[in-house]
């Protein structure tokens, strides 16, 4: 500790003493030195992962509250005749359900905490998915972040597990039917299905073990794993330093942003309050999962228009779309492909594609270098189109999971809707792929157009010769840099199949397949504009105002030295955006 | 950015003096915000932040006040009021801090950008060499390389020990593991059909054409144990059709499983087990609300649409001496969703 020049105040003295005490025992000074002014790039889309984190913290806080009042037991009780919820008086129910009613109606603030917990779960999953989309479409998963992508992917799966196990705990008729569906899906597993069902339910469905088991899964196993993996996720994030969007001065070798103390740490802190606050507002004003209207679980009743939470809808939709004819017999044994395909194979394909994509792309790109500057989605047409196609498939399944609501709201035949979705599940992703890829290439061409010819100004000039032209205003160096900074990745080039003496080489087939994959990714591309092309473009536009401008830009390297020098004297002020 | 060859096919040749790529113009010039140059604006923002923090304090006070003053009470209205007031006050308490703090950071805190260098993730060759050497030294010190049998035994012991935990766990977790229970329900010869959920036996004469009854076996409600387990398998839907509309049912030749247009089918969907609870009188179709499998009651409950493959199993019924509907036997095949050994004996 350095000596202070002015006599320190009492508070400062105490703080210094505490810091000294801690540092001597933990060396915390090193950590502070490492973290305090660490630079974090700033962008609204980096907030998405934070939303997931804070809704998880909200889940922990509200969840602890709920565990103090919830009884995870399937013992039969009768709702007291003097109970506060009139419609349930005298009804037989499990203790889980009756304690849910008690904590909703008799524990002050209990209903609010339940609704906070449920809304936070929905926000948590939504934030994870949108955060993952951001990471995917900007290529933030590239080396060295592939492992962190996988960690995030596992967190997504754990989020589903947490949501599903928690959703089933109140033991109401809606979630009970969800469990019954789960049981049906488990039984469909070939050979061991019946035993798996016994494994999960501790005997026949519904049995007496499920709620206590789900409770342990929901409050111990899954959140424990989520916490540990969040720790790993953030550790890797700090170790890699955050990615940044492309723009002037943002290089692969630097990180531009705000220091942890005070800006980033402050935002972290206050964003938690914003997320928790918004969830509290939702919980205060919007009812969610009113189990007291559904009633306790009973295997007999079910209501139409029963949907699971949104993140499970895609599975429900897949189950609804599959035609029943696909159940087959192998000798005396039943193979329920009508369940296995939608409940296991389709989600298996979607999730495997998602988890494996970074490795697939790295393989097709043949790229071994680190990437810290994000891609603009348009500059990676295949990836963007692939992601959109995957999302469209997911979205169609979500809609299919709501086909009964679509039918009743729009007065359509449920059979027609189902058939439409069956067709679109196969067509939709392809259409989405082609359209998205075209849009990306179009946007890239638009970028080229802008760099080559500048902004339209709307100013029409007539020359002495009678010729009319519209004056274009060249881009300033920052605007231009954003549009030319990327690399257009090319398909891999491989050695020919035969060497100069005509001998076929080993491994050509594998190389050729890799090249094919690479061509699929990168055959269609638009190259960024080069200085020579700009010069050439202005060679044509003799009359253009740009003509003079390009003279000034003759040495782009020199232009880069000063932002002022890059400002063109145009009609319209350039918008200074860089992203 | 990447190791790719930065050369471009589309370079117009003959411009040799121009570089292949544009250069990064460097960071934007830092522009001061309004609050940086105008103290009045800064003062105004300060007041806004102050207001938001005060709002948060009021929100917290509001929560505590509502906790005491607005108990949930006994009516839906009082519960709703309590929830809304608590929720809105809590939101104020949180959002006041969150928005106020963020507002301060965004407008008043220094927004100068800093630049930090990145370093490659991989460790240097030198470090790697040292690390490898350390591991080698460690292996050397352990002396294991000379004792292959010991290593093998140790690894085997390690690989086997989880069994000591897993076997008792798996053994217990599935109760008695008697999965044959899937194949039987509590219906047996002479069990009366009773209304669900009251358990009142049903007389054939009570059932009129077009009626649909939700049915459980008589005696289910009196079960001491496993009531829901039995109910989950035994639920039945009873429908009376005009015998002329009844094209077929599942009775084998020489037997009659229905009674004068009354037929009883398992209510557990053969897809994944939801209760098939929606009956459409005009078409005699039964619809499962979960995944829309549709069964034709007039035609042996065959699947006419949706993801189920097999018809709903029929419960053979007749009437007893007193006119009550009774089962002739249990179902002749397992009810509910398919499983691997469903069709075996």
């Amino acid at each position: 500790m350095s000596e202070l020049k002015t006599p320190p105040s009492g508070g400062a003295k105490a703080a210094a003493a505490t810091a000294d005490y801690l540092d001597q025992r933990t060396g915390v000074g090193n950590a502070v030195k490492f973290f305090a002014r660490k630079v974090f790039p700033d962008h609204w889309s980096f907030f998405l992962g934070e939303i997931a984190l804070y809704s998880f913290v909200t889940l922990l806080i509200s969840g602890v509250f709920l565990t103090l009042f919830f009884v995870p037991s399937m013992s039969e009780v009768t709702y007291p005749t003097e109970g506060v919820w009139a419609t349930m008086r005298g009804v037989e129910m499990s203790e889980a359900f009756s304690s849910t009613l008690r904590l909703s109606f008799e524990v002050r603030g209990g209903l609010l905490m339940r609704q906070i917990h449920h809304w936070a779960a929905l926000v948590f999953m939504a934030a994870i998915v949108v955060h993952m989309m951001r990471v995917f479409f900007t290529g933030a998963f590239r080396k060295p972040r592939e492992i962190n992508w996988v960690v995030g992917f596992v967190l997504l799966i754990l989020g589903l597990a947490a949501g599903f196990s928690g959703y089933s705990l109140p033991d109401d008729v809606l979630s009970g039917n969800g469990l019954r569906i789960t049981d049906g899906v488990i039984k469909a597993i070939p050979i061991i299905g019946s035993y798996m069902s016994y494994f999960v339910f501790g005997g026949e469905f519904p049995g007496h073990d499920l709620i206590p088991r789900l409770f342990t899964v929901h409050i111990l196993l899954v959140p424990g794993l989520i916490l540990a993996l969040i720790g790993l996720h953030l550790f890797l994030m700090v170790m890699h330093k955050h990615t940044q969007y492309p723009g002037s001065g943002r290089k692969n070798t630097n990180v531009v942003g705000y220091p942890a103390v005070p800006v980033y740490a402050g935002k972290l802190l206050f964003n938690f309050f914003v997320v928790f606050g918004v969830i509290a507002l939702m919980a205060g004003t919007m009812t969610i999962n009113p189990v007291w209207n559904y009633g306790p679980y009973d295997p007999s009743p079910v209501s139409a228009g029963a949907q699971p939470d949104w993140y499970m809808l895609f599975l429900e939709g897949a189950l609804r779309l599959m035609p029943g004819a696909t159940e087959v017999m192998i000798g005396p044994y039943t193979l329920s492909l009508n369940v296995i395909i939608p409940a296991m194979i389709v989600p298996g394909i979607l999730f495997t594609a998602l988890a494996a994509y970074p490795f697939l792309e790295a393989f097709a790109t043949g790229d071994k270098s680190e990437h810290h500057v994000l891609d603009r989605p348009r500059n990676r047409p295949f990836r963007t189109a692939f992601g959109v196609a995957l999302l469209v498939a997911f979205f169609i399944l979500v809609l299919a999971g709501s086909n009964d609501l679509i039918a009743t709201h729009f007065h359509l035949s449920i059979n027609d809707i189902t058939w439409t979705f069956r067709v679109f599940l196969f067509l939709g992703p392809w259409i989405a792929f082609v359209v998205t890829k075209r849009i990306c290439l179009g946007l890239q061409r638009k970028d080229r157009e802008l760099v080559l010819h500048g902004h339209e100004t709307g100013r029409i000039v007539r020359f002495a010769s009678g010729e009319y032209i519209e004056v274009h205003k060249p881009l300033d160096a920052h605007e231009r840099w954003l549009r030319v900074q990327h690399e257009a990745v090319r398909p891999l080039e491989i050695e020919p199949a035969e060497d100069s003496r005509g001998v076929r080489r080993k491994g050509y087939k594998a190389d050729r397949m890799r090249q094919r994959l690479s061509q699929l990714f990168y055959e269609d591309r638009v190259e960024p504009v080069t200085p020579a092309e700009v010069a050439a473009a202005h060679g044509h536009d003799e009359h253009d105002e740009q003509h003079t401008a390009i003279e000034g830009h003759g040495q782009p390297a020199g232009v880069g030295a000063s932002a002022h020098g890059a400002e063109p004297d145009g009609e319209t002020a350039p918008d200074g955006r860089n992203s | 950015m990447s190791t790719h060859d930065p050369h471009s096919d589309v370079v117009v040749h003959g411009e040799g003096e121009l570089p292949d790529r544009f250069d990064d113009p460097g960071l934007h010039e830092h522009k001061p915000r309004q609050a940086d140059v105008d103290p009045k604006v800064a003062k105004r923002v300060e007041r806004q932040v102050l207001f938001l923090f005060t709002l948060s304090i009021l929100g917290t006070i509001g929560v505590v006040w509502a906790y005491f003053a607005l108990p949930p009470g006994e009516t839906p209205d009082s519960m709703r009021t309590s929830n809304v007031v608590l929720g809105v006050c809590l939101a104020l308490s949180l959002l006041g801090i969150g928005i106020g703090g963020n507002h301060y950071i965004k407008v008043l805190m220094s927004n100068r950008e800093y630049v930090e260098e990145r370093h490659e993730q991989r460790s240097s060759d030198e470090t790697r060499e040292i690390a490898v050497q350390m591991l080698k030294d460690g292996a050397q010190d352990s002396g294991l390389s000379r004792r292959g049998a010991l290593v093998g035994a140790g690894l085997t012991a390690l690989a086997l020990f989880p069994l000591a935990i897993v076997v008792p766990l798996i053994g217990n977790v599935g109760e008695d593991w008697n999965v044959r229970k899937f194949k039987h329900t509590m219906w047996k010869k002479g069990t009366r059909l009773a209304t669900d959920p009251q358990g009142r036996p049903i007389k054939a004469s009570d059932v009129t054409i077009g009626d649909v009854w939700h049915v459980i076996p008589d005696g289910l409600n009196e079960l001491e144990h496993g009531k829901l387990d039995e109910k989950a398998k035994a639920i039945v839907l009873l429908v009376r059709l005009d015998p002329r509309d009844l094209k077929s049912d599942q009775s084998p030749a020489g037997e009659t499983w229905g009674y004068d247009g009354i037929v009883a089918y398992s209510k557990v969907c053969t897809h994944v087990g939801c209760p098939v609870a929606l009956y459409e009188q005009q078409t005699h179709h039964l619809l499962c609300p979960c995944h829309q499998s549709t069964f034709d009651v007039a035609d042996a409950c065959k699947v006419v649409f949706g993801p189920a493959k097999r018809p709903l199993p029929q419960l053979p019924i007749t009437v007893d001496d007193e006119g009550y509907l009774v089962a002739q036997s249990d179902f002749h095949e397992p009810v509910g969703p398919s499983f691997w050994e469903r069709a075996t004996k």
Side-chain angles (χ1 to χ4, degrees):
Chain A
M1 295 279 129
S2 65
E3 304 247 339
L4 294 165
K5 295 279 167 12
T6 48
S9 66
K13 253 194 213 163
T18 313
D20 180 48
Y21 181 93
L22 280 177
D23 190 47
Q24 291 203 35
R25 280 152 187 84
T26 61
V28 70
N30 291 320
V32 172
K33 180 175 162 240
F34 177 76
F35 272 112
R37 296 292 275 179
K38 210 169 160 52
V39 169
F40 288 88
D42 195 38
H43 190 266
W44 64 265
S45 69
F46 299 161
F47 178 48
L48 296 167
E50 268 182 65
I51 297 178
L53 176 65
Y54 296 142
S55 41
F56 184 69
V57 176
T58 306
L59 282 167
L60 290 182
I61 295 171
S62 53
V64 168
F65 186 101
L66 297 180
T67 53
L68 301 182
F69 303 100
F70 177 71
V71 184
S73 158
M74 293 171 95
S75 307
E76 288 275 307
V77 294
T78 306
Y79 194 69
T81 44
E82 70 279 10
V84 292
W85 196 251
T87 53
M88 287 292 144
R89 284 176 192 155
V91 173
E92 276 186 29
M93 55 182 65
S94 65
E95 258 192 286
F97 189 78
S98 96
S99 64
T100 305
L101 292 187
R102 201 177 76 80
L103 81 82
S104 302
F105 297 139
E106 291 164 58
V107 174
R108 294 188 188 193
L111 179 60
L112 183 68
M113 282 298 159
R114 242 197 85 224
Q115 306 214 99
I116 284 178
H117 198 68
H118 205 130
W119 277 121
L122 299 191
V123 171
F124 178 56
M125 288 311 297
I128 289 181
V129 169
V130 181
H131 169 61
M132 212 162 179
M133 281 160 62
R134 197 282 293 170
V135 170
F136 183 90
F137 287 118
T138 59
F141 53 75
R142 290 172 298 170
K143 189 183 173 184
R145 296 182 178 78
E146 304 99 319
I147 296 171
N148 220 9
W149 168 265
V150 175
V151 172
F153 171 78
V154 177
L155 278 168
L156 168 77
I157 304 292
L158 286 172
L160 288 175
F164 182 76
S165 56
Y167 173 75
S168 306
L169 285 179
D171 204 21
D172 57 289
V173 76
L174 191 60
S175 69
N177 274 306
L179 286 173
R180 180 121 211 207
I181 294 169
T182 312
D183 178 52
V185 170
I186 294 171
K187 280 179 176 159
I189 299 170
I191 305 172
I192 56 165
S194 310
Y195 297 94
M196 289 301 291
S197 167
Y198 262 52
F199 180 90
V200 172
F201 292 92
E204 278 195 285
F205 173 87
H208 279 95
D209 296 336
L210 190 67
I211 298 290
R213 284 181 186 181
L214 283 177
F215 188 66
T216 307
V217 168
H218 183 71
I219 70 154
L220 177 71
L221 292 182
V222 174
L225 286 172
I226 290 180
L227 261 182
L229 286 184
I230 286 178
L232 181 59
H233 204 59
L234 295 182
F235 169 77
L236 287 172
M237 188 266 282
V238 169
M239 198 178 80
H240 291 141
K241 296 196 170 99
H242 207 287
T243 50
Q244 54 194 347
Y245 277 93
S248 315
R250 276 122 177 110
K251 299 186 198 7
N252 213 28
T253 51
N254 71 8
V255 49
V256 181
Y258 299 121
V261 175
V263 180
Y264 194 69
K267 282 191 178 182
L268 277 181
L269 176 73
F270 293 120
N271 284 342
F272 164 68
F273 285 94
V274 172
V275 171
F276 195 177
V278 168
I279 293 171
L281 195 62
M282 290 166 82
T285 52
M286 292 185 279
T287 303
I288 185 161
N289 201 25
V291 289
W292 50 89
N293 289 340
Y294 308 152
Y297 181 61
D298 177 325
S300 183
V302 68
S303 57
Q307 261 63 34
D309 278 347
W310 76 266
Y311 46 83
M312 284 290 165
L313 266 179
F314 75 104
L315 275 176
E316 180 80 359
L319 278 170
R320 290 178 185 198
L321 288 191
M322 193 73 198
T326 45
E327 180 173 298
V328 293
M329 299 292 289
I330 305 173
Y333 299 109
T334 312
L335 186 64
S336 289
L337 288 176
N338 56 339
V339 178
I340 295 169
I341 291 175
M344 291 166 229
I345 295 179
V346 168
I349 290 172
L350 284 179
F351 281 116
T352 309
L354 197 61
Y357 185 83
F359 306 97
L360 189 73
E361 188 186 289
F363 181 71
T365 314
D367 181 10
K368 304 250 187 305
S369 55
E370 291 188 3
H371 297 274
H372 303 289
V373 177
L374 296 170
D375 287 319
R376 301 169 82 210
R378 68 183 61 175
N379 290 336
R380 293 295 198 126
F382 180 89
R383 177 203 295 153
T384 306
F386 182 86
V388 171
L390 217 57
L391 278 177
V392 164
F394 179 80
F395 189 61
I396 288 171
L397 290 179
V398 168
L399 283 179
S402 322
N403 60 355
D404 47 345
L405 295 183
I406 297 174
T408 50
H409 278 73
F410 298 102
H411 304 287
L412 297 167
S413 145
I414 191 124
N415 305 24
D416 295 346
I417 296 172
T418 304
W419 267 108
T420 309
F421 285 141
R422 279 174 183 171
V423 172
F424 262 92
L425 183 59
F426 290 96
L427 282 186
W430 291 103
I431 297 172
F433 183 87
V434 172
V435 170
T436 310
K437 198 169 157 184
R438 286 298 128 193
I439 291 175
C440 287
L441 293 170
L443 284 171
Q444 279 184 277
R445 290 206 184 90
K446 174 75 187 166
D447 281 348
R448 275 186 67 87
E449 178 70 22
L450 268 176
V451 174
L452 287 173
H453 303 296
H455 296 288
E456 292 179 3
T457 58
R459 191 160 71 96
I460 310 293
V461 174
R462 193 180 77 170
F463 288 89
S465 60
E467 181 191 1
Y468 286 93
I469 61 145
E470 185 189 357
V471 177
H472 282 225
K473 186 173 67 63
L475 272 58
D476 74 38
H478 296 298
E479 288 177 293
R480 188 174 62 209
W481 174 244
L482 180 70
R483 289 166 177 82
V484 300
Q485 46 79 32
H486 63 284
E487 302 279 348
V489 184
R490 315 249 182 109
L492 289 172
E493 283 168 25
I494 58 172
E495 288 174 36
E498 294 168 358
D499 65 12
S500 53
R501 281 170 298 171
V503 181
R504 285 191 75 84
R505 70 182 177 88
K506 276 185 194 167
Y508 173 74
K509 264 195 172 167
D511 282 359
R512 179 74 189 109
M513 266 180 54
R514 185 172 178 188
Q515 188 185 36
R516 286 229 173 91
L517 183 71
S518 186
Q519 281 166 347
L520 184 69
F521 270 67
Y522 300 118
E523 193 71 89
D524 298 331
R525 65 187 181 281
V526 176
E527 305 272 348
V529 179
T530 63
E533 286 177 296
V534 173
H538 294 302
H540 301 305
D541 305 340
E542 293 270 327
H543 312 296
D544 207 323
E545 185 177 339
Q546 266 186 343
H547 185 61
T548 41
I550 196 64
E551 297 302 317
H553 289 252
Q555 309 296 330
V559 171
S562 146
H564 276 299
E567 297 285 343
D569 309 315
E571 305 289 354
T572 43
D575 64 346
R577 285 176 305 162
N578 65 351
S579 57
Chain B
M1 318 256 157
S2 93
T3 54
H4 284 283
D5 184 6
H7 285 287
S8 173
D9 282 341
V10 280
V11 169
V12 180
H13 294 289
E15 301 273 348
E17 75 280 6
L18 287 174
D20 289 329
R21 300 293 306 257
F22 283 98
D23 275 345
D24 186 346
L27 287 180
H28 280 271
E29 202 191 358
H30 181 251
K31 289 197 185 101
R33 294 159 299 185
Q34 240 190 323
D36 295 333
V37 288
D38 187 348
K40 260 199 247 160
V41 175
K43 203 75 203 158
R44 195 178 68 222
V45 173
E46 240 182 277
R47 277 198 304 273
Q48 288 165 348
V49 175
L50 197 75
F51 169 75
L52 285 163
F53 284 161
T54 314
L55 211 58
S56 165
I57 295 169
L58 291 177
T60 307
I61 295 171
V63 172
V64 176
W65 168 78
Y67 176 84
F68 290 108
L70 293 173
E74 303 238 330
T75 66
D77 277 341
S78 62
M79 289 168 189
R80 189 180 304 124
T81 310
S82 162
N83 189 60
V84 170
V85 175
L86 280 172
V88 170
C89 288
L90 178 60
L92 275 184
S93 155
L94 295 162
L95 289 173
I97 299 174
I99 297 176
N102 270 329
H103 191 40
Y104 176 79
I105 291 175
K106 200 137 186 99
V107 185
L108 292 180
M109 214 177 248
S110 159
N111 73 336
R112 231 190 76 196
E113 285 187 316
Y114 289 79
V115 180
E116 213 174 77
E117 292 302 305
R118 287 183 193 271
H119 309 285
E120 234 192 333
Q121 288 299 323
R122 61 161 287 177
S123 48
S124 66
D125 287 338
E126 195 186 347
T127 311
R128 281 186 180 191
E129 229 165 79
I130 295 170
V132 169
Q133 192 52 47
M134 283 172 137
L135 290 177
K136 279 183 182 160
D137 292 349
Q140 186 74 28
D141 287 353
S142 74
L144 285 176
S145 56
R146 286 173 279 124
R147 301 189 176 90
L150 195 144
V151 172
L155 288 179
T156 312
L158 269 178
L160 286 181
F161 118 87
L163 282 179
I165 291 162
V166 169
V167 169
L169 178 95
I170 302 272
N172 285 306
V173 81
E175 206 196 21
D176 57 2
W177 291 108
N178 179 13
V179 297
R180 296 191 61 79
K181 284 185 200 159
F182 291 156
K183 300 195 175 180
H184 308 284
T185 72
M186 68 176 285
W187 289 105
K188 55 179 186 284
K189 188 174 181 192
T191 308
R192 281 182 177 163
L193 278 70
T195 55
D196 177 18
Q198 301 83 359
R200 195 163 37 76
I202 305 166
K203 277 190 167 166
S205 52
D206 293 342
V207 186
T208 55
I209 288 178
D211 265 5
V212 53
W213 294 60
H214 295 265
V215 169
I216 51 174
D218 190 24
L220 176 83
N221 285 344
E222 285 72 49
L223 282 183
E224 288 288 320
H225 298 291
K227 197 170 112 183
L228 285 187
D229 299 7
E230 290 303 337
K231 187 170 185 181
K233 291 188 293 186
I235 44 174
V236 158
L237 211 72
L238 184 81
V239 182
R240 183 163 205 166
L241 303 176
D242 187 331
R244 282 167 300 180
D245 290 339
L246 196 57
K247 277 181 260 172
S248 71
D249 65 5
Q250 298 172 10
S251 13
E255 285 184 43
T256 315
W257 282 7
Y259 176 78
D260 196 20
I262 304 178
V263 282
Y265 285 97
S266 164
K267 203 170 124 183
V268 191
C269 188
T270 56
H271 176 222
V272 281
C274 280
V276 186
L278 305 180
Y279 180 63
E280 209 180 44
Q281 221 180 44
Q282 299 300 316
T283 56
H284 315 303
H285 283 177
L286 266 176
L287 177 80
C288 177
C290 289
H291 306 106
Q292 289 97 37
S293 292
T294 314
F295 305 86
D296 187 355
V297 179
D299 192 12
C301 259
K302 285 179 190 149
V303 178
V304 290
F305 187 78
K309 165 78 179 280
R310 292 174 294 106
L312 296 168
Q314 186 172 7
L315 181 71
I317 54 165
T318 183
V319 289
D320 65 7
D321 308 341
E322 297 169 58
Y324 287 107
L325 290 165
V326 294
Q328 294 181 26
S329 67
D330 195 358
F331 292 98
H332 285 235
E333 58 177 310
V335 299
S338 299
F339 49 97
W340 181 250
E341 64 277 25
R342 191 192 69 84
T344 60
K345 282 192 193 126

